[in-house]
Amino acid sequence: MALSPAAFAAALLEEARETHPWLHHPLFRMISGGELPRVELQSVIRQQGCFFLDTLRHAAWKIISVGGYTPTFEELERQRALVPLVVEEGGEDMVGGKTPAHAFLFVKLAEALGISRDELFATPYLPTTIIEKNELFLLQRSSTLEALCGGNIATESINPVHMQRMADAMEKHYGVPRAALDFYYVHVEVEGDHAERAVRILSKLATTDAEQARGLLAMRRAITARRICADGMLEAFVGETRS
């Protein structure tokens, strides 16, 4: 028997917080503890650009996945409910706000770590990084249910804790000035809203056993993809230099 939408969302959030690699993987524990040398940290940040430099398209796909050639009124409402995600990723400064595109903030962070813009955009991505991006993009394109459970629920629900830890580590252990850490702090400030919005939308999308099974699988796929990426970076940038 299907759970209530609220209970289903709560179960997903709890599992994400208990299993997400950004909270529990050795690589990110090393970063938060200042144990990763700066040159290896630079390599990790460059790899993460594969996803973080392309989040606007991911947000846009959430809208594109809703409805067909002739959408229903309900689908139009769901499309509109997802517009704030696109605005946040693309830059609220374009509609009267102050926060620029999240990808631009990521570029600023990389530059503060000594990674030039040309180096960042010319990064040769690891196969495991490409696996992560392809899997997450596939979830975005599949349907709104997969996009929300594989994105907002799987990752953005844990972002405030992860991003605060990363910001603290960057400033304390790696000497990155606070002015260059807005990429992390903007996620600390807004991701709770993302998770709450996802829960509201799930109340209409995940009401049957089949829908909830799809949502749970999407969340686990996203978390597994991120773990594969973290494993790849740990082996490539830490294992080789310390073997």
Side-chain angles (χ1 to χ4, degrees):
M1 182 176 179
L3 299 172
S4 70
F8 173 65
L12 291 187
L13 291 170
E14 181 178 3
E15 181 170 329
R17 290 163 184 160
E18 291 178 351
T19 62
H20 202 291
W22 285 0
L23 297 182
H24 306 292
H25 195 279
L27 177 66
F28 294 103
R29 289 187 178 277
M30 292 174 68
I31 294 173
S32 64
E35 301 170 11
L36 199 67
R38 188 181 184 88
V39 66
E40 294 170 3
L41 175 64
Q42 289 173 328
S43 295
V44 169
I45 294 298
R46 290 182 66 182
Q47 289 296 309
Q48 290 188 307
C50 186
F51 180 80
F52 288 137
L53 296 175
D54 198 26
T55 53
L56 179 55
R57 286 199 306 152
H58 282 247
W61 268 109
K62 285 186 174 73
I63 296 178
I64 295 170
S65 69
V66 176
Y69 188 67
T70 55
T72 65
F73 184 78
E74 182 183 24
E75 288 168 342
L76 288 175
E77 290 184 316
R78 281 162 48 197
Q79 289 172 352
R80 281 171 49 82
L82 294 166
V83 168
L85 300 177
V86 178
V87 173
E88 289 167 5
E89 290 296 342
E92 294 180 348
D93 56 342
M94 298 189 69
V95 291
K98 295 182 179 179
T99 305
H102 291 182
F104 288 179
L105 296 178
F106 186 78
V107 172
K108 183 178 179 181
L109 167 68
E111 290 176 337
L113 278 167
I115 305 167
S116 72
R117 187 175 303 181
D118 288 344
E119 288 177 315
L120 183 64
F121 282 90
T123 297
Y125 296 120
L126 297 170
T128 44
T129 299
I130 295 172
I131 288 172
E132 177 202 27
K133 178 168 180 173
N134 288 345
E135 177 70 350
L136 295 177
F137 225 142
L138 179 60
L139 289 170
Q140 300 296 336
R141 296 197 303 266
S142 296
S143 76
T144 308
L145 177 61
E146 275 82 5
L148 289 173
C149 292
N152 296 64
I153 296 295
T155 295
E156 289 165 4
S157 64
I158 59 90
N159 256 349
V161 176
H162 168 66
M163 294 297 186
Q164 185 65 64
R165 282 191 349 188
M166 291 291 286
D168 291 343
M170 292 292 177
E171 189 169 9
K172 177 180 178 181
H173 301 302
Y174 300 102
V176 179
R178 170 62 181 81
L181 295 173
D182 286 343
F183 172 77
Y184 293 123
Y185 283 110
V186 73
H187 288 86
V188 170
E189 294 165 2
V190 306
E191 297 306 341
D193 295 335
H194 282 196
E196 290 175 7
R197 188 181 300 119
V199 170
R200 290 197 299 271
I201 297 174
L202 280 179
S203 67
K204 298 181 180 180
L205 298 178
T207 59
T208 69
D209 286 324
E211 289 168 341
Q212 291 184 4
R214 282 173 50 205
L216 178 61
L217 178 60
M219 186 195 73
R220 290 176 174 172
R221 282 171 57 187
I223 289 174
T224 299
R226 292 221 181 272
R227 186 178 299 115
I228 288 171
C229 182
D231 287 343
M233 291 189 291
L234 185 67
E235 179 179 355
F237 306 136
V238 180
E240 289 185 4
T241 58
R242 301 184 183 183
S243 60

